[in-house]
């Protein structure tokens, strides 16, 4: 956006505030209020609806052909089976609607979308089971225990395929919701730092309105390349002028609840959503609650818990799954060890002291990917350090062997850490295990909170870019895990790890 255009917008917004009516920009007709949802959202909704419908139909057909063998039965069996199949179809689609599984706000969002789809099918299975019991018939068992679970799995798979395509388009700058941000300079800067995360969630910050401008103070033309087109008093006028899908308000010290409420009234009819971020922090999910007290919505932040039944189950399943993996991939481990020994002098395994939960030291195992004595050459290569913060990284590290480059590329060097998981010093999912020297250099950025849980074989750091991340991004990813741990988050990270290994971006 050019400087002249910004000045025009500012002057026209001033006319709106003074009651001069909805303005026009020279040479441009006044646009109608933007639609509630852009075209791509409506197309995505239709694609998700059709995908779910086809999944239920496919599951119905599979059960009819594979389980019921109705082609060999009587006409009555055909009619009864057809009635149950239709009931399953109607009930499934109705459950998805009641669970708001096609809500535009969750379509393409990932975990919440899957959660709603799963909840819908749980309801459908429960209703079918109760109906069958009440009618005293077992004719619907094949659909309760066959068609509906199969339809649920197919629906989740279909949503995943759609989400992959949506993310591909978002990476190229398409299918994003245009957002106007209102807040003070510090808050806006903090939000802009998170632009990659915002884009992945489907938002694009296109403009800024500053809320901490004194009378007569000159507005900056841009903040980190994002144009500043007015103050908080211009928000309504700008919403009428331009097709922003949302206004994101970052309340500053001078932003009162009354102003927020009045803004929501003034935005009614513009087709623009109002987003309110009470604070910019990495705490979301089950720890965050909105509790109304005396008519005032208060955000309640519960303390994190790193013990209890859920953590016991996590530790037990970690060890069992790691042991099964070690047994299952034992031939692969042996082949990698032989390749390392044959290609360079030294042992196949590399042992290193790392810092675990609550600062406890443990010996971490990896396949050796460097020459013997590589740690002693760190000072020699310090001038080539490309790592951020306290981590030491070199993209083309001369200490890495030929076999080491291959096993690093596909994270095969980390497989011996499964033995650490079996012994309990590590977890399958968790923060990156730090070195002692790294922990000694931790500052006041919250990095020490990483030590509240066991380090992991994989984690958000692993699936978000690995060595391509800056130190701040790496810390934020690990802190997000520590603050918001849940079994669902663990499963999501394990699922994404497969893709991260097959597409080794940032592995060196």
């Amino acid at each position: 956006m050019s400087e002249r255009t910004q000045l025009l917008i500012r002057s026209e917004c001033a006319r709106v505030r003074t009651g001069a009516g909805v303005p026009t920009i020279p040479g441009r007709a006044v646009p109608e209020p933007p639609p509630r949802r852009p075209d791509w959202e409506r197309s995505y909704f239709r694609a998700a609806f059709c995908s779910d419908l086809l999944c239920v139909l496919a599951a119905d057909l599979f059960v009819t052909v594979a389980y019921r063998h109705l082609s060999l039965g009587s006409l009555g069996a055909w009619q009864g089976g057809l009635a149950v199949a239709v009931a399953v179809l109607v009930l499934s689609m109705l459950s998805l609607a009641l669970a708001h599984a096609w809500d535009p706000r969750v379509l393409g969002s990932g975990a919440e979308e899957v959660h709603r789809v799963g909840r819908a099918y749980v309801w459908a299975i429960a209703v079918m089971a109760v109906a069958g019991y009440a009618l005293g018939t077992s004719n619907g068992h094949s659909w309760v225990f066959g068609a509906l679970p199969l339809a649920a799995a197919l629906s989740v798979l279909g949503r995943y395929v759609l989400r992959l395509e949506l993310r591909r388009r978002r990476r190229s700058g398409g299918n994003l919701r245009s957002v106007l941000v209102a807040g003070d300079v510090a808050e806006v800067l903090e939000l802009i730092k998170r632009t990659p995360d915002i884009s992945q969630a489907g938002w694009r910050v296109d403009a800024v309105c500053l809320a901490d401008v004194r009378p007569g103070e000159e507005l900056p033309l841009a903040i980190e390349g994002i144009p500043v087109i007015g103050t908080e008093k211009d928000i309504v006028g700008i919403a009428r002028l331009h097709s922003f899908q949302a206004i994101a308000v970052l309340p500053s010290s001078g932003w009162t609840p009354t102003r927020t409420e009045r803004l929501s009234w003034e935005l009614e009819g513009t087709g623009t959503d109002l987003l309110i971020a009470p604070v910019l922090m990495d705490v979301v999910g089950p720890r965050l609650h909105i509790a109304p007290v005396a008519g005032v919505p208060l955000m309640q932040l519960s303390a994190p818990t790193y013990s209890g039944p859920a953590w016991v189950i996590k530790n037990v399943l970690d060890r069992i799954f790691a042991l099964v993996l070690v047994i299952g991939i034992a031939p692969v481990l042996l082949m990698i060890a032989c390749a390392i020994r044959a290609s360079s002098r030294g042992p196949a395994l590399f042992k290193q002291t790392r810092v675990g939960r609550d600062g406890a030291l443990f010996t971490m195992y990896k396949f050796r990917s460097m020459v013997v004595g590589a740690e002693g050459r760190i000072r020699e290569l310090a001038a080539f350090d490309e790592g951020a913060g306290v981590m030491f990284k070199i993209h083309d590290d001369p200490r890495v062997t030929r076999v080491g480059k291959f096993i690093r590329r596909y994270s095969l060097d980390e497989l011996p850490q499964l033995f650490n998981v079996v012994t309990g010093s590590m977890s399958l999912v968790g923060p990156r295990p730090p070195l002692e020297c790294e922990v000694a250099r931790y500052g006041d950025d919250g990095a020490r909170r990483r030590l509240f849980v066991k380090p992991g074989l994989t984690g958000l750091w692993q699936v978000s870019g690995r060595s391509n991340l800056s130190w701040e991004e790496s810390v934020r990813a690990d802190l997000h895990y520590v603050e918001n741990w849940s079994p669902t988050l663990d499963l999501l990270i394990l699922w994404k790890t497969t893709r991260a290994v097959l597409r080794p971006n940032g592995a060196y």
Side-chain angles (χ1 to χ4, degrees), residues 45 49 52 89-103 116-117 119-121 123 159:
F45 167 83
F49 181 88
D52 292 336
L89 175 62
V90 173
L91 181 60
S92 298
M93 301 306 286
L94 181 60
S95 296
L96 287 167
L98 293 176
H100 303 287
W102 299 309
D103 189 332
R116 294 193 184 190
V117 171
R119 184 173 59 187
Y121 279 103
W123 289 350
R159 297 292 186 99

Side-chain angles (χ1 to χ4, degrees), residues 188-248:
V188 170
L189 280 171
E190 178 64 24
L191 184 67
I192 292 175
K193 289 180 182 178
R194 308 187 185 202
T195 295
D197 298 329
I198 296 172
S199 298
Q200 191 175 28
W203 301 98
R204 181 184 63 237
V205 178
D206 284 336
V208 173
C209 282
L210 292 179
D212 58 347
V213 180
R214 299 182 181 88
E217 183 179 352
E218 185 70 20
L219 289 177
L221 289 178
I223 297 177
E224 294 292 323
I226 308 297
V228 178
I229 59 176
T231 69
E232 80 278 5
K233 297 178 182 179
D234 303 319
I235 292 176
V236 177
I238 291 173
R240 292 176 179 172
L241 278 169
H242 298 279
S243 299
F244 291 109
Q245 273 82 56
I247 307 295

Side-chain angles (χ1 to χ4, degrees), residues 54-70 85 88 142-143 145-151 154:
L54 290 174
C55 289
V56 179
L57 289 173
D60 259 349
L61 181 63
F62 177 79
V63 170
T64 300
V65 174
Y67 288 167
R68 304 295 296 175
H69 301 289
L70 293 180
V88 167
S142 296
W143 277 273
F145 300 107
L148 285 172
L150 177 60
L154 292 176

